[in-house]
């Protein structure tokens, strides 16, 4: 990065990842400048960000739609695009940013879950921002791919790791993650283990390993962010406090590392770590994610679409917590879509799968 600032485009600037990215940029104004902002509906926050960062190129999705986002991406010269639009809404913006060139700092896992083939084909460079995938990426630096036996993604287990009466879980309870500060959708997905299921599919595309070599363990402390097991049975792990600014800073500055403050330092004294096997009977969303990828495309698209609908229904009090995986499984069983051949077909399958899920909901409620 010597000699010039790295130009940063933030897709999803008003969400938690976007705000954390802006925090890093503000800490290192000599290294980064924001050249474009995209937000969903929070006009007031977007305008405030644009003013603070002196950014002239910004778009609000609720006012200008996807075409407005596409125009901004295509007209903005950037070195790094932080792709942090939540859910399937981020698929096309991530794809367009990939086609433009530059680095993709990927925080929108749904892009690879639904359109991994198309985005990998276009992207010049992808550095993952999700803490688990960033950890794997860091563990693989300097290693040979053929020496990797398996990767192990850690999951906190969410808010209900030891709770028995899952059918009585209320939305406000599911939104209280014990370790991480995340958006509503991701927080609920964490509590159902669907977030980890989506991350398994994301890892499949990022690291190009067979599905049976991508494992998941429950790690309630959220200190070990993921591990890599090599064929000599040695294990590398990346550990740190649960703060997204660490993987974000790494994705922005790679191959360099930024000097973050002492508040980011992990206190090793008295640290107690534990690892548990996931209970896929109580939390079947993880199993459904593996099964969707085994069945092949378009089933991961259906999985993600059905989950988005189910989580929204749960948050609105329309279904119980335990109905989320039931609704997703029914959508997977009823889906009859062809494998997508274009990015536009991916988006169309996503739309139709959401309609299918709503039809199933209305039929049984």
């Amino acid at each position: 990065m010597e000699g010039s600032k790295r130009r940063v485009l933030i897709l999803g600037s008003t969400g938690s990842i976007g705000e954390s990215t802006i925090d890093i940029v503000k800490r290192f104004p000599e290294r980064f400048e924001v050249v474009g902002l995209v937000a969903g509906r929070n006009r007031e926050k977007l305008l405030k960000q644009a003013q603070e960062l002196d950014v002239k190129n910004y778009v609000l999705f609720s006012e200008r739609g996807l075409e407005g986002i596409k125009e901004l991406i295509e007209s903005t010269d950037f070195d790094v695009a932080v792709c942090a639009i939540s859910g399937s809404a981020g698929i096309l913006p991530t794809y367009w940013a990939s086609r433009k060139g530059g680095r993709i700092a990927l925080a929108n896992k749904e892009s690879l879950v639904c359109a991994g083939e198309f985005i990998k084909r276009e992207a010049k460079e992808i550095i993952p921002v999700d803490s688990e995938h960033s950890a794997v990426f860091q563990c693989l630096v300097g290693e040979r791919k053929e020496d990797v036996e398996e990767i192990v993604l850690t999951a906190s287990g969410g808010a209900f790791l030891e709770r028995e009466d899952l059918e009585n879980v209320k939305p406000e309870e599911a939104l209280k993650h014990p370790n991480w500060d995340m958006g509503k959708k991701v927080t609920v997905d964490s509590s159902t283990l669907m977030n980890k299921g989506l991350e398994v599919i994301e890892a499949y595309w990022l690291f190009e390993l067979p599905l049976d070599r991508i494992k998941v363990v429950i790690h309630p402390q959220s200190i070990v962010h993921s591990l890599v097991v090599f064929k000599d049975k040695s294990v590398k792990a990346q550990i740190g406090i649960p703060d997204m600014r660490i993987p974000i800073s790494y994705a922005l500055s790679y191959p360099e590392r930024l000097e973050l403050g002492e508040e980011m330092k992990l206190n090793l004294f008295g640290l107690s770590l534990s690892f548990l096997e996931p209970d896929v009977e109580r939390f079947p969303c993880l199993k459904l994610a593996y099964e969707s990828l085994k069945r092949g495309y378009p089933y991961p698209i259906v999985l993600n679409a059905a989950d988005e609908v189910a989580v929204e229904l749960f948050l609105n009090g329309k279904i119980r917590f335990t109905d989320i995986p039931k609704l997703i499984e029914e959508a997977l069983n009823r889906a009859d879509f062809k494998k997508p051949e274009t990015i536009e077909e991916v988006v169309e399958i996503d739309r139709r799968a959401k309609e299918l899920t709503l039809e199933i909901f209305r039929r049984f409620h």
Side-chain angles (χ1 to χ4, degrees):
M1 288 195 297
E2 294 194 13
S4 62
K5 294 182 180 181
R6 204 164 265 182
R7 299 165 298 176
V8 181
L9 168 65
I10 306 177
L11 306 178
S13 65
T14 58
S16 60
I17 297 294
E19 290 188 301
S20 293
T21 301
I22 290 172
D23 179 74
I24 294 295
V25 169
K26 287 180 175 178
R27 288 173 183 237
F28 300 93
E30 74 285 357
R31 289 176 173 261
F32 307 109
E33 65 172 326
V34 177
V35 294
L37 298 167
V38 171
R41 294 175 177 82
N42 197 330
R43 177 180 175 81
E44 185 178 342
K45 186 182 285 188
L46 175 64
L47 292 176
K48 183 180 179 182
Q49 290 175 340
Q51 184 176 20
E52 287 180 350
L53 297 166
D54 192 26
V55 176
K56 303 296 187 291
N57 297 331
Y58 56 88
V59 166
L60 194 68
F61 169 76
S62 60
E63 294 182 357
R64 293 188 56 195
L66 281 171
E67 280 305 310
I69 297 176
K70 186 177 183 181
E71 288 175 13
L72 182 141
I73 292 171
E74 292 181 345
S75 64
T76 302
D77 292 325
F78 58 86
D79 302 303
V80 185
V82 178
C83 297
I85 296 174
S86 178
S88 58
I91 295 172
L92 284 175
T94 301
Y95 177 74
W96 294 328
S98 299
R99 292 185 65 180
K100 184 71 187 288
R103 171 179 297 175
I104 299 297
L106 187 65
N108 173 257
K109 62 180 67 68
E110 293 84 358
S111 298
L112 288 189
V113 168
C114 298
E117 176 183 347
F118 305 99
I119 289 170
K120 287 278 286 189
R121 186 187 304 158
E122 298 290 344
K124 176 183 176 183
E125 180 185 34
I126 299 177
I127 308 291
V129 167
D130 276 345
S131 61
E132 297 83 357
H133 302 86
S134 174
V136 173
F137 183 92
Q138 293 180 57
C139 289
L140 290 177
V141 171
E143 300 287 353
R144 302 188 314 162
K145 183 179 176 182
E146 56 266 33
D147 290 335
V148 176
E149 183 169 291
E150 62 185 26
I151 62 177
V152 183
L153 305 178
T154 55
S156 70
F160 311 120
L161 188 58
E162 298 179 354
R163 182 158 171 171
E164 296 297 330
D165 62 329
L166 293 177
E167 67 278 359
N168 295 324
V169 165
K170 300 293 188 291
E172 57 270 22
E173 294 175 306
L175 293 175
K176 294 178 181 177
H177 194 283
N179 303 326
W180 292 96
D181 179 18
M182 305 180 290
K184 290 183 178 181
K185 166 67 163 55
V186 180
T187 305
V188 175
D189 279 349
S190 177
S191 66
T192 65
L193 286 191
M194 178 57 86
N195 190 52
K196 207 53 48 180
L198 297 176
E199 288 178 359
V200 166
I201 302 173
E202 182 184 6
Y204 170 83
W205 287 106
L206 281 172
F207 306 113
E208 300 175 341
L209 285 176
L211 187 57
D212 62 359
R213 290 166 59 189
I214 304 172
K215 305 295 177 60
V216 171
V217 298
I218 303 297
H219 170 55
Q221 296 81 21
S222 298
I223 297 297
V224 178
H225 299 301
S226 277
L227 313 94
V228 176
V229 182
F230 295 93
K231 64 183 182 182
D232 62 359
K233 305 307 181 286
S234 63
V235 180
K236 270 189 180 182
Q238 189 268 334
I239 72 174
I241 66 168
D243 192 307
M244 287 305 298
R245 288 173 293 182
I246 296 175
I248 289 169
S249 70
Y250 187 78
L252 291 177
S253 64
Y254 176 81
E256 296 181 48
R257 290 184 183 268
L258 301 177
E259 180 74 36
L260 298 181
E262 285 297 307
E263 75 276 10
M264 300 286 190
K265 191 172 183 178
L266 177 66
N267 181 8
L268 296 173
F269 299 107
L271 201 60
S272 178
L273 306 178
S274 60
F275 300 91
L276 308 167
E277 189 173 350
D279 187 343
V280 294
E281 300 306 318
R282 294 181 65 231
F283 301 97
C285 284
L286 179 59
K287 181 168 60 175
L288 292 174
Y290 273 97
E291 289 174 355
S292 74
L293 190 54
K294 287 177 183 175
R295 291 173 71 177
Y297 279 81
Y299 290 100
I301 305 173
V302 177
L303 173 92
N304 182 72
D307 178 60
E308 289 192 10
V309 172
V311 169
E312 189 68 23
L313 289 169
F314 167 69
L315 288 173
N316 290 330
K318 304 290 187 182
I319 63 174
R320 295 178 301 177
F321 182 81
T322 48
D323 290 331
I324 294 175
K326 293 176 183 176
L327 191 53
I328 296 168
E329 185 171 19
E330 189 67 20
L332 287 168
N333 290 338
R334 290 174 181 255
D336 185 24
F337 308 127
K338 294 181 180 178
K339 180 181 178 181
E341 300 296 332
T342 65
I343 193 72
E344 290 78 16
E345 289 182 10
V346 169
V347 175
E348 176 63 13
I349 291 169
D350 173 72
R351 183 190 67 79
R352 291 172 61 194
K354 287 175 180 172
E355 288 182 352
L356 171 64
T357 308
L358 282 171
E359 286 175 15
I360 295 168
F361 161 71
R362 286 191 285 262
R363 189 173 303 168
F364 291 100
H365 294 78

